[in-house]
Amino acid sequence: MTSQDPLGQQFSSSAARRVSTHDDGSLDVMGSVGGWRGILEAALPATSFLTAYIIVGDLPIAIILAIAVGALFAVVRIVQRGSLVQSLSGLVGVLICAAFAHFSGEARGYYVPGFFINIAYILALTISIAVKWPLMGVIFGVIRGEGFEWRQDRVRRRAYALATWIITAVLASRLVVQLPLYFADNETALGVTRVVMGVPLYAFALWLGWMITREREASSGP
């Protein structure tokens, strides 16, 4: 894939649209994670599930509540004329988690899909670094107007690889912390760490990666 590859440009542009910037070109961390709505949509279904299970101790009720919260967010987005894919994607995720909990008969089953998603992203990010196309470079490069030209600069390429490693480390840390809790059957701690290590930690890693690559960019200038 070259810097003129239209397929590569299309992919990077699509990925870059998920990262927001301010008018001055700086990273908009809150916008990149969907603002407060995005944070609530990511956290509340799982939080509702855990809270209901702890208080009532009934798995079906906890599952129904999580689905209800996810459905409420989806309906609100549809009413506000959001895109159908964006409106339903969160609900689909909740339904998948609920299905795992239901068919396993255990509350901890709700968190299993998250493990597979993290593993998939870790593999994708690691491969992107190995083939010298670090994903954060693909995304940030488009946002900064660099395209793929940063690949010709070893310093820039290493900076973007480091930013990609930071995101990878966050995903890996989730597995390191949460898998032992899963196998220990500690649903409460698992649910709490799922929320704490979710959007907030990802947002910090995204900001850190942006700042690291921005600093390298400045230092390599005239």
PDB file of all heavy atoms in Angstrom, residues 11-44:
ATOM      1  N   PHE A  11      -9.808   3.899   4.120  1.00  0.00           N
ATOM      2  CA  PHE A  11      -9.823   3.269   5.441  1.00  0.00           C
ATOM      3  C   PHE A  11      -9.368   4.244   6.515  1.00  0.00           C
ATOM      4  O   PHE A  11      -9.984   4.368   7.576  1.00  0.00           O
ATOM      5  CB  PHE A  11      -8.907   2.036   5.443  1.00  0.00           C
ATOM      6  CG  PHE A  11      -8.634   1.510   6.828  1.00  0.00           C
ATOM      7  CD1 PHE A  11      -9.579   0.755   7.498  1.00  0.00           C
ATOM      8  CD2 PHE A  11      -7.427   1.789   7.466  1.00  0.00           C
ATOM      9  CE1 PHE A  11      -9.328   0.288   8.786  1.00  0.00           C
ATOM     10  CE2 PHE A  11      -7.174   1.324   8.741  1.00  0.00           C
ATOM     11  CZ  PHE A  11      -8.127   0.571   9.401  1.00  0.00           C
ATOM     12  N   SER A  12      -8.247   4.947   6.259  1.00  0.00           N
ATOM     13  CA  SER A  12      -7.706   5.869   7.253  1.00  0.00           C
ATOM     14  C   SER A  12      -8.648   7.030   7.494  1.00  0.00           C
ATOM     15  O   SER A  12      -8.811   7.491   8.624  1.00  0.00           O
ATOM     16  CB  SER A  12      -6.332   6.386   6.821  1.00  0.00           C
ATOM     17  OG  SER A  12      -6.397   7.000   5.552  1.00  0.00           O
ATOM     18  N   SER A  13      -9.305   7.517   6.441  1.00  0.00           N
ATOM     19  CA  SER A  13     -10.254   8.616   6.598  1.00  0.00           C
ATOM     20  C   SER A  13     -11.450   8.183   7.434  1.00  0.00           C
ATOM     21  O   SER A  13     -11.944   8.920   8.279  1.00  0.00           O
ATOM     22  CB  SER A  13     -10.730   9.121   5.230  1.00  0.00           C
ATOM     23  OG  SER A  13      -9.651   9.645   4.489  1.00  0.00           O
ATOM     24  N   SER A  14     -11.919   6.950   7.192  1.00  0.00           N
ATOM     25  CA  SER A  14     -13.040   6.429   7.959  1.00  0.00           C
ATOM     26  C   SER A  14     -12.669   6.283   9.431  1.00  0.00           C
ATOM     27  O   SER A  14     -13.455   6.628  10.321  1.00  0.00           O
ATOM     28  CB  SER A  14     -13.470   5.070   7.393  1.00  0.00           C
ATOM     29  OG  SER A  14     -14.497   4.507   8.187  1.00  0.00           O
ATOM     30  N   ALA A  15     -11.463   5.783   9.697  1.00  0.00           N
ATOM     31  CA  ALA A  15     -11.011   5.631  11.079  1.00  0.00           C
ATOM     32  C   ALA A  15     -10.814   6.978  11.739  1.00  0.00           C
ATOM     33  O   ALA A  15     -11.122   7.159  12.924  1.00  0.00           O
ATOM     34  CB  ALA A  15      -9.704   4.832  11.107  1.00  0.00           C
ATOM     35  N   ALA A  16     -10.285   7.945  10.978  1.00  0.00           N
ATOM     36  CA  ALA A  16     -10.014   9.265  11.529  1.00  0.00           C
ATOM     37  C   ALA A  16     -11.285   9.986  11.937  1.00  0.00           C
ATOM     38  O   ALA A  16     -11.270  10.816  12.853  1.00  0.00           O
ATOM     39  CB  ALA A  16      -9.236  10.104  10.519  1.00  0.00           C
ATOM     40  N   ARG A  17     -12.401   9.698  11.268  1.00  0.00           N
ATOM     41  CA  ARG A  17     -13.653  10.364  11.606  1.00  0.00           C
ATOM     42  C   ARG A  17     -14.135  10.004  12.997  1.00  0.00           C
ATOM     43  O   ARG A  17     -15.003  10.688  13.563  1.00  0.00           O
ATOM     44  CB  ARG A  17     -14.725  10.018  10.570  1.00  0.00           C
ATOM     45  CG  ARG A  17     -14.585  10.788   9.263  1.00  0.00           C
ATOM     46  CD  ARG A  17     -15.856  10.700   8.440  1.00  0.00           C
ATOM     47  NE  ARG A  17     -16.083   9.359   7.936  1.00  0.00           N
ATOM     48  CZ  ARG A  17     -15.623   8.909   6.770  1.00  0.00           C
ATOM     49  NH1 ARG A  17     -14.882   9.699   6.005  1.00  0.00           N
ATOM     50  NH2 ARG A  17     -15.889   7.674   6.374  1.00  0.00           N
ATOM     51  N   ARG A  18     -13.579   8.945  13.569  1.00  0.00           N
ATOM     52  CA  ARG A  18     -13.964   8.557  14.917  1.00  0.00           C
ATOM     53  C   ARG A  18     -13.174   9.330  15.977  1.00  0.00           C
ATOM     54  O   ARG A  18     -13.448   9.197  17.169  1.00  0.00           O
ATOM     55  CB  ARG A  18     -13.736   7.053  15.119  1.00  0.00           C
ATOM     56  CG  ARG A  18     -14.537   6.197  14.133  1.00  0.00           C
ATOM     57  CD  ARG A  18     -14.439   4.740  14.463  1.00  0.00           C
ATOM     58  NE  ARG A  18     -15.198   3.916  13.531  1.00  0.00           N
ATOM     59  CZ  ARG A  18     -15.388   2.616  13.654  1.00  0.00           C
ATOM     60  NH1 ARG A  18     -14.861   1.976  14.692  1.00  0.00           N
ATOM     61  NH2 ARG A  18     -16.088   1.944  12.768  1.00  0.00           N
ATOM     62  N   VAL A  19     -12.192  10.101  15.547  1.00  0.00           N
ATOM     63  CA  VAL A  19     -11.394  10.917  16.453  1.00  0.00           C
ATOM     64  C   VAL A  19     -11.700  12.377  16.166  1.00  0.00           C
ATOM     65  O   VAL A  19     -11.559  12.830  15.040  1.00  0.00           O
ATOM     66  CB  VAL A  19      -9.888  10.650  16.270  1.00  0.00           C
ATOM     67  CG1 VAL A  19      -9.086  11.527  17.223  1.00  0.00           C
ATOM     68  CG2 VAL A  19      -9.574   9.175  16.514  1.00  0.00           C
ATOM     69  N   SER A  20     -12.125  13.116  17.192  1.00  0.00           N
ATOM     70  CA  SER A  20     -12.524  14.509  17.015  1.00  0.00           C
ATOM     71  C   SER A  20     -11.395  15.460  17.382  1.00  0.00           C
ATOM     72  O   SER A  20     -10.562  15.158  18.240  1.00  0.00           O
ATOM     73  CB  SER A  20     -13.746  14.824  17.887  1.00  0.00           C
ATOM     74  OG  SER A  20     -14.833  13.990  17.555  1.00  0.00           O
ATOM     75  N   THR A  21     -11.372  16.611  16.729  1.00  0.00           N
ATOM     76  CA  THR A  21     -10.397  17.649  17.038  1.00  0.00           C
ATOM     77  C   THR A  21     -11.116  18.982  17.230  1.00  0.00           C
ATOM     78  O   THR A  21     -12.231  19.184  16.750  1.00  0.00           O
ATOM     79  CB  THR A  21      -9.368  17.804  15.907  1.00  0.00           C
ATOM     80  OG1 THR A  21     -10.044  18.079  14.670  1.00  0.00           O
ATOM     81  CG2 THR A  21      -8.537  16.534  15.751  1.00  0.00           C
ATOM     82  N   HIS A  22     -10.447  19.895  17.934  1.00  0.00           N
ATOM     83  CA  HIS A  22     -10.968  21.246  18.102  1.00  0.00           C
ATOM     84  C   HIS A  22     -10.651  22.055  16.851  1.00  0.00           C
ATOM     85  O   HIS A  22      -9.921  21.612  15.956  1.00  0.00           O
ATOM     86  CB  HIS A  22     -10.330  21.899  19.334  1.00  0.00           C
ATOM     87  CG  HIS A  22     -10.702  21.244  20.630  1.00  0.00           C
ATOM     88  ND1 HIS A  22     -11.974  21.308  21.171  1.00  0.00           N
ATOM     89  CD2 HIS A  22      -9.955  20.500  21.504  1.00  0.00           C
ATOM     90  CE1 HIS A  22     -12.005  20.645  22.312  1.00  0.00           C
ATOM     91  NE2 HIS A  22     -10.802  20.142  22.541  1.00  0.00           N
ATOM     92  N   ASP A  23     -11.173  23.255  16.797  1.00  0.00           N
ATOM     93  CA  ASP A  23     -10.946  24.123  15.638  1.00  0.00           C
ATOM     94  C   ASP A  23      -9.473  24.449  15.432  1.00  0.00           C
ATOM     95  O   ASP A  23      -9.028  24.695  14.317  1.00  0.00           O
ATOM     96  CB  ASP A  23     -11.739  25.433  15.795  1.00  0.00           C
ATOM     97  CG  ASP A  23     -13.243  25.213  15.713  1.00  0.00           C
ATOM     98  OD1 ASP A  23     -13.648  24.185  15.125  1.00  0.00           O
ATOM     99  OD2 ASP A  23     -13.998  26.057  16.229  1.00  0.00           O
ATOM    100  N   ASP A  24      -8.696  24.457  16.543  1.00  0.00           N
ATOM    101  CA  ASP A  24      -7.276  24.763  16.426  1.00  0.00           C
ATOM    102  C   ASP A  24      -6.433  23.545  16.060  1.00  0.00           C
ATOM    103  O   ASP A  24      -5.205  23.621  15.995  1.00  0.00           O
ATOM    104  CB  ASP A  24      -6.740  25.387  17.721  1.00  0.00           C
ATOM    105  CG  ASP A  24      -6.891  24.448  18.922  1.00  0.00           C
ATOM    106  OD1 ASP A  24      -7.396  23.316  18.742  1.00  0.00           O
ATOM    107  OD2 ASP A  24      -6.505  24.847  20.033  1.00  0.00           O
ATOM    108  N   GLY A  25      -7.090  22.408  15.829  1.00  0.00           N
ATOM    109  CA  GLY A  25      -6.379  21.201  15.430  1.00  0.00           C
ATOM    110  C   GLY A  25      -5.976  20.297  16.572  1.00  0.00           C
ATOM    111  O   GLY A  25      -5.453  19.208  16.341  1.00  0.00           O
ATOM    112  N   SER A  26      -6.191  20.719  17.821  1.00  0.00           N
ATOM    113  CA  SER A  26      -5.840  19.891  18.970  1.00  0.00           C
ATOM    114  C   SER A  26      -6.876  18.787  19.164  1.00  0.00           C
ATOM    115  O   SER A  26      -8.012  18.883  18.682  1.00  0.00           O
ATOM    116  CB  SER A  26      -5.743  20.745  20.237  1.00  0.00           C
ATOM    117  OG  SER A  26      -6.986  21.370  20.514  1.00  0.00           O
ATOM    118  N   LEU A  27      -6.487  17.758  19.866  1.00  0.00           N
ATOM    119  CA  LEU A  27      -7.359  16.597  20.056  1.00  0.00           C
ATOM    120  C   LEU A  27      -8.509  16.929  20.993  1.00  0.00           C
ATOM    121  O   LEU A  27      -8.318  17.489  22.072  1.00  0.00           O
ATOM    122  CB  LEU A  27      -6.554  15.428  20.622  1.00  0.00           C
ATOM    123  CG  LEU A  27      -7.322  14.131  20.884  1.00  0.00           C
ATOM    124  CD1 LEU A  27      -7.771  13.520  19.576  1.00  0.00           C
ATOM    125  CD2 LEU A  27      -6.466  13.146  21.668  1.00  0.00           C
ATOM    126  N   ASP A  28      -9.706  16.593  20.587  1.00  0.00           N
ATOM    127  CA  ASP A  28     -10.896  16.718  21.423  1.00  0.00           C
ATOM    128  C   ASP A  28     -11.164  15.345  22.038  1.00  0.00           C
ATOM    129  O   ASP A  28     -11.812  14.495  21.425  1.00  0.00           O
ATOM    130  CB  ASP A  28     -12.083  17.185  20.581  1.00  0.00           C
ATOM    131  CG  ASP A  28     -13.364  17.330  21.400  1.00  0.00           C
ATOM    132  OD1 ASP A  28     -13.321  17.102  22.626  1.00  0.00           O
ATOM    133  OD2 ASP A  28     -14.403  17.660  20.812  1.00  0.00           O
ATOM    134  N   VAL A  29     -10.640  15.137  23.250  1.00  0.00           N
ATOM    135  CA  VAL A  29     -10.723  13.817  23.877  1.00  0.00           C
ATOM    136  C   VAL A  29     -12.170  13.425  24.129  1.00  0.00           C
ATOM    137  O   VAL A  29     -12.599  12.312  23.807  1.00  0.00           O
ATOM    138  CB  VAL A  29      -9.927  13.801  25.200  1.00  0.00           C
ATOM    139  CG1 VAL A  29     -10.099  12.447  25.893  1.00  0.00           C
ATOM    140  CG2 VAL A  29      -8.454  14.065  24.940  1.00  0.00           C
ATOM    141  N   MET A  30     -12.949  14.340  24.700  1.00  0.00           N
ATOM    142  CA  MET A  30     -14.354  14.029  25.004  1.00  0.00           C
ATOM    143  C   MET A  30     -15.134  13.727  23.725  1.00  0.00           C
ATOM    144  O   MET A  30     -15.931  12.788  23.674  1.00  0.00           O
ATOM    145  CB  MET A  30     -14.990  15.186  25.760  1.00  0.00           C
ATOM    146  CG  MET A  30     -14.578  15.265  27.210  1.00  0.00           C
ATOM    147  SD  MET A  30     -15.117  13.815  28.169  1.00  0.00           S
ATOM    148  CE  MET A  30     -16.890  14.041  28.160  1.00  0.00           C
ATOM    149  N   GLY A  31     -14.896  14.519  22.685  1.00  0.00           N
ATOM    150  CA  GLY A  31     -15.581  14.276  21.428  1.00  0.00           C
ATOM    151  C   GLY A  31     -15.207  12.949  20.816  1.00  0.00           C
ATOM    152  O   GLY A  31     -16.032  12.280  20.181  1.00  0.00           O
ATOM    153  N   SER A  32     -13.969  12.523  21.017  1.00  0.00           N
ATOM    154  CA  SER A  32     -13.487  11.272  20.431  1.00  0.00           C
ATOM    155  C   SER A  32     -14.109  10.044  21.081  1.00  0.00           C
ATOM    156  O   SER A  32     -14.148   8.975  20.479  1.00  0.00           O
ATOM    157  CB  SER A  32     -11.957  11.201  20.543  1.00  0.00           C
ATOM    158  OG  SER A  32     -11.349  12.248  19.813  1.00  0.00           O
ATOM    159  N   VAL A  33     -14.560  10.190  22.317  1.00  0.00           N
ATOM    160  CA  VAL A  33     -15.216   9.058  22.987  1.00  0.00           C
ATOM    161  C   VAL A  33     -16.731   9.232  23.008  1.00  0.00           C
ATOM    162  O   VAL A  33     -17.435   8.519  23.719  1.00  0.00           O
ATOM    163  CB  VAL A  33     -14.676   8.879  24.427  1.00  0.00           C
ATOM    164  CG1 VAL A  33     -13.203   8.550  24.400  1.00  0.00           C
ATOM    165  CG2 VAL A  33     -14.944  10.119  25.285  1.00  0.00           C
ATOM    166  N   GLY A  34     -17.233  10.202  22.224  1.00  0.00           N
ATOM    167  CA  GLY A  34     -18.674  10.387  22.123  1.00  0.00           C
ATOM    168  C   GLY A  34     -19.265  11.328  23.136  1.00  0.00           C
ATOM    169  O   GLY A  34     -20.490  11.375  23.294  1.00  0.00           O
ATOM    170  N   GLY A  35     -18.397  12.103  23.838  1.00  0.00           N
ATOM    171  CA  GLY A  35     -18.902  13.029  24.847  1.00  0.00           C
ATOM    172  C   GLY A  35     -19.479  12.296  26.045  1.00  0.00           C
ATOM    173  O   GLY A  35     -19.284  11.090  26.228  1.00  0.00           O
ATOM    174  N   TRP A  36     -20.226  13.043  26.868  1.00  0.00           N
ATOM    175  CA  TRP A  36     -20.822  12.415  28.043  1.00  0.00           C
ATOM    176  C   TRP A  36     -21.817  11.329  27.658  1.00  0.00           C
ATOM    177  O   TRP A  36     -21.954  10.327  28.353  1.00  0.00           O
ATOM    178  CB  TRP A  36     -21.516  13.475  28.909  1.00  0.00           C
ATOM    179  CG  TRP A  36     -20.546  14.316  29.675  1.00  0.00           C
ATOM    180  CD1 TRP A  36     -20.239  15.631  29.482  1.00  0.00           C
ATOM    181  CD2 TRP A  36     -19.729  13.877  30.769  1.00  0.00           C
ATOM    182  NE1 TRP A  36     -19.271  16.045  30.369  1.00  0.00           N
ATOM    183  CE2 TRP A  36     -18.949  14.982  31.172  1.00  0.00           C
ATOM    184  CE3 TRP A  36     -19.560  12.666  31.425  1.00  0.00           C
ATOM    185  CZ2 TRP A  36     -18.024  14.907  32.212  1.00  0.00           C
ATOM    186  CZ3 TRP A  36     -18.645  12.580  32.465  1.00  0.00           C
ATOM    187  CH2 TRP A  36     -17.894  13.692  32.855  1.00  0.00           C
ATOM    188  N   ARG A  37     -22.501  11.525  26.524  1.00  0.00           N
ATOM    189  CA  ARG A  37     -23.442  10.499  26.087  1.00  0.00           C
ATOM    190  C   ARG A  37     -22.706   9.205  25.774  1.00  0.00           C
ATOM    191  O   ARG A  37     -23.156   8.118  26.159  1.00  0.00           O
ATOM    192  CB  ARG A  37     -24.221  10.962  24.855  1.00  0.00           C
ATOM    193  CG  ARG A  37     -25.075   9.849  24.270  1.00  0.00           C
ATOM    194  CD  ARG A  37     -25.742  10.251  22.970  1.00  0.00           C
ATOM    195  NE  ARG A  37     -26.869  11.122  23.183  1.00  0.00           N
ATOM    196  CZ  ARG A  37     -27.708  11.492  22.219  1.00  0.00           C
ATOM    197  NH1 ARG A  37     -27.517  11.068  20.985  1.00  0.00           N
ATOM    198  NH2 ARG A  37     -28.725  12.292  22.491  1.00  0.00           N
ATOM    199  N   GLY A  38     -21.590   9.312  25.071  1.00  0.00           N
ATOM    200  CA  GLY A  38     -20.817   8.124  24.739  1.00  0.00           C
ATOM    201  C   GLY A  38     -20.331   7.397  25.979  1.00  0.00           C
ATOM    202  O   GLY A  38     -20.344   6.161  26.039  1.00  0.00           O
ATOM    203  N   ILE A  39     -19.892   8.167  26.977  1.00  0.00           N
ATOM    204  CA  ILE A  39     -19.425   7.564  28.229  1.00  0.00           C
ATOM    205  C   ILE A  39     -20.576   6.853  28.939  1.00  0.00           C
ATOM    206  O   ILE A  39     -20.432   5.717  29.412  1.00  0.00           O
ATOM    207  CB  ILE A  39     -18.812   8.640  29.141  1.00  0.00           C
ATOM    208  CG1 ILE A  39     -17.537   9.206  28.501  1.00  0.00           C
ATOM    209  CG2 ILE A  39     -18.506   8.069  30.524  1.00  0.00           C
ATOM    210  CD1 ILE A  39     -16.926  10.356  29.263  1.00  0.00           C
ATOM    211  N   LEU A  40     -21.723   7.518  29.007  1.00  0.00           N
ATOM    212  CA  LEU A  40     -22.874   6.917  29.677  1.00  0.00           C
ATOM    213  C   LEU A  40     -23.376   5.684  28.931  1.00  0.00           C
ATOM    214  O   LEU A  40     -23.735   4.675  29.555  1.00  0.00           O
ATOM    215  CB  LEU A  40     -24.003   7.948  29.799  1.00  0.00           C
ATOM    216  CG  LEU A  40     -23.733   9.113  30.753  1.00  0.00           C
ATOM    217  CD1 LEU A  40     -24.876  10.122  30.698  1.00  0.00           C
ATOM    218  CD2 LEU A  40     -23.534   8.614  32.179  1.00  0.00           C
ATOM    219  N   GLU A  41     -23.412   5.748  27.605  1.00  0.00           N
ATOM    220  CA  GLU A  41     -23.882   4.604  26.821  1.00  0.00           C
ATOM    221  C   GLU A  41     -22.966   3.403  26.990  1.00  0.00           C
ATOM    222  O   GLU A  41     -23.426   2.256  26.940  1.00  0.00           O
ATOM    223  CB  GLU A  41     -23.977   4.992  25.350  1.00  0.00           C
ATOM    224  CG  GLU A  41     -25.128   5.928  25.049  1.00  0.00           C
ATOM    225  CD  GLU A  41     -25.201   6.304  23.583  1.00  0.00           C
ATOM    226  OE1 GLU A  41     -24.234   6.007  22.845  1.00  0.00           O
ATOM    227  OE2 GLU A  41     -26.211   6.893  23.164  1.00  0.00           O
ATOM    228  N   ALA A  42     -21.664   3.672  27.182  1.00  0.00           N
ATOM    229  CA  ALA A  42     -20.717   2.572  27.369  1.00  0.00           C
ATOM    230  C   ALA A  42     -20.774   1.998  28.774  1.00  0.00           C
ATOM    231  O   ALA A  42     -20.589   0.795  28.971  1.00  0.00           O
ATOM    232  CB  ALA A  42     -19.296   3.065  27.055  1.00  0.00           C
ATOM    233  N   ALA A  43     -21.054   2.862  29.764  1.00  0.00           N
ATOM    234  CA  ALA A  43     -20.942   2.435  31.158  1.00  0.00           C
ATOM    235  C   ALA A  43     -22.264   2.014  31.798  1.00  0.00           C
ATOM    236  O   ALA A  43     -22.295   1.067  32.594  1.00  0.00           O
ATOM    237  CB  ALA A  43     -20.307   3.556  31.992  1.00  0.00           C
ATOM    238  N   LEU A  44     -23.357   2.690  31.471  1.00  0.00           N
ATOM    239  CA  LEU A  44     -24.601   2.471  32.218  1.00  0.00           C
ATOM    240  C   LEU A  44     -25.216   1.075  32.064  1.00  0.00           C
ATOM    241  O   LEU A  44     -25.711   0.518  33.054  1.00  0.00           O
ATOM    242  CB  LEU A  44     -25.623   3.531  31.854  1.00  0.00           C
ATOM    243  CG  LEU A  44     -25.498   4.854  32.619  1.00  0.00           C
ATOM    244  CD1 LEU A  44     -26.663   5.774  32.305  1.00  0.00           C
ATOM    245  CD2 LEU A  44     -25.422   4.614  34.130  1.00  0.00           C
TER     246      LEU A  44
END
